[in-house]
Amino acid sequence: MRFVMVMVMVALALTGCATTMAPPDPINITGLWTGSWQGHGVFYIQREDVAYARFLQRGDGAGSGRFWIDGSLASESVPFSIRMAGLDGVPVFFDISGNTVTLRHQNGGEALAEFSVNGDRMIGHPIDTEYPARIILDRVVAAAPPPAIAAPAPPPPPPTAAPAPPAVAEPVPPPPPPRLPSPKEFAPTDALKSVYFDFDRSEIRPSEIPVLEGNARWLQANREALLLIEGHCDERGTDAYNLALGDRRAKAVRDYLVAQGVAADRITTLSYGEERPVCTESNESCWQQNRRAVFVIKAQ
């Protein structure tokens, strides 16, 4: 009998613990998240760049938003739809189960990535890619305003004067973001010469340095001109690889000009890959003409 009573007391104790245990708080991922991704590009080259997302969650644990992974155009570690989205980002729906968030493309429902959320950090990976990748995002938390310092109280008004109403400051709207000029607004000039690259390379060739130095001198003397650097490739390689290679060529030229004193905020880069050849024959003499960086300008 004593054994039965002990077992009953143990069962009641366990039941009491079960009924008082609170369920975990539901997560909410509404807001802006920024971080980075690590993966691999073509030829299994290690890649790392910026990743960020903006989410709006409903009360039922689901929601929508937009997801960006920068620098992934030639990376097999990133789903193709994200790579092609570029600066526009991918519109996504998401579902939350426990602390797991699954992102799906709004157009067709393709599963893109899965994250595990822990407070203000989520760690995850793309789904169904040729190579693995890792994505880490941190919630952007608005900084708390500094404590207000009370100003000394003004002297009381004369007894006959009516108290003045408190002044209300009009809110100042934030300035609009600067409008980036369209590539169609730029035009070529004979004053700036193109530079050329070796096959499958984005490094500046020593033979092209005098050309770049001459372009830098002209840009410093014409500070009102905005510059667009176009990166181009020959026809060999995939479209995605050549777009990434053209981007690296344009940015290598930009970095050289900035080192020569040209203001970085005057320069924009754009890759056309193999889309705009100046020569269409399939031989080395023609290909070397297409491996180039072109300079076009726009007056401010």
Side-chain angles (χ1 to χ4, degrees):
M1 178 63 71
R2 180 176 298 176
F3 175 76
V4 174
M5 291 180 65
V6 170
M7 293 302 295
V8 170
M9 292 176 65
V10 170
L12 290 174
L14 292 175
T15 304
C17 291
T19 56
T20 58
M21 184 178 297
D25 293 334
I27 64 174
N28 190 311
I29 65 171
T30 293
L32 177 64
W33 298 72
T34 65
S36 63
W37 70 277
Q38 294 179 338
H40 297 86
V42 293
F43 306 127
Y44 212 67
I45 299 173
Q46 184 74 29
R47 300 296 304 276
E48 180 175 0
D49 215 313
V50 176
Y52 48 106
R54 186 180 297 276
F55 299 125
L56 179 61
Q57 183 170 328
R58 304 190 304 265
D60 58 354
S64 60
R66 194 166 287 271
F67 183 47
W68 294 263
I69 295 184
D70 286 353
S72 62
L73 189 59
S75 173
E76 301 295 337
S77 296
V78 178
F80 184 76
S81 56
I82 298 180
R83 291 153 54 191
M84 293 298 101
L87 296 178
D88 292 332
V90 175
V92 296
F93 293 124
F94 62 84
D95 299 301
I96 298 177
S97 176
N99 68 334
T100 300
V101 177
T102 302
L103 304 187
R104 301 182 182 277
H105 202 300
Q106 288 189 15
N107 183 15
E110 170 196 1
L112 300 176
E114 186 175 89
F115 292 89
S116 177
V117 182
N118 184 7
D120 290 330
R121 165 164 287 196
M122 61 171 68
I123 300 176
H125 58 87
I127 296 176
D128 293 334
T129 55
E130 183 172 351
Y131 300 133
R134 177 181 173 90
I135 309 168
I136 301 177
L137 298 175
D138 293 300
R139 191 195 304 267
V140 177
V141 180
I149 300 176
T160 57
V168 178
E170 292 291 334
V172 179
R179 186 187 72 85
L180 295 178
S182 166
K184 295 180 180 179
E185 300 178 43
F186 291 82
T189 174
D190 293 336
L192 298 177
K193 307 301 182 184
S194 299
V195 295
Y196 297 88
F197 295 85
D198 292 329
F199 172 66
D200 197 29
R201 308 296 293 181
S202 59
E203 295 81 9
I204 304 298
R205 298 193 303 196
S207 61
E208 302 302 308
I209 290 178
V211 177
L212 279 175
E213 290 179 343
N215 289 351
R217 287 192 296 270
W218 187 92
L219 290 165
Q220 289 169 336
N222 296 267
R223 297 181 184 274
E224 77 286 353
L226 300 178
L227 175 65
L228 173 63
I229 304 173
E230 302 174 350
H232 298 268
C233 305
D234 64 38
E235 65 189 51
R236 292 170 291 178
T238 65
D239 291 346
Y241 184 78
N242 283 333
L243 281 171
L245 178 59
D247 181 65
R248 294 198 298 273
R249 287 172 173 170
K251 289 179 178 177
V253 171
R254 176 202 61 191
D255 294 344
Y256 189 93
L257 292 176
V258 171
Q260 295 298 308
V262 181
D265 59 4
R266 295 173 54 195
I267 305 175
T268 305
T269 61
L270 177 65
S271 174
Y272 285 109
E274 61 184 79
E275 296 177 3
R276 297 192 176 186
V278 295
C279 183
T280 56
E281 298 177 9
S282 295
N283 55 58
E284 179 55 33
S285 175
C286 188
W287 289 331
Q288 67 181 354
Q289 299 178 53
N290 295 331
R291 301 191 297 263
R292 67 200 192 280
V294 177
F295 302 81
V296 289
I297 63 168
K298 174 185 181 298
Q300 295 194 56

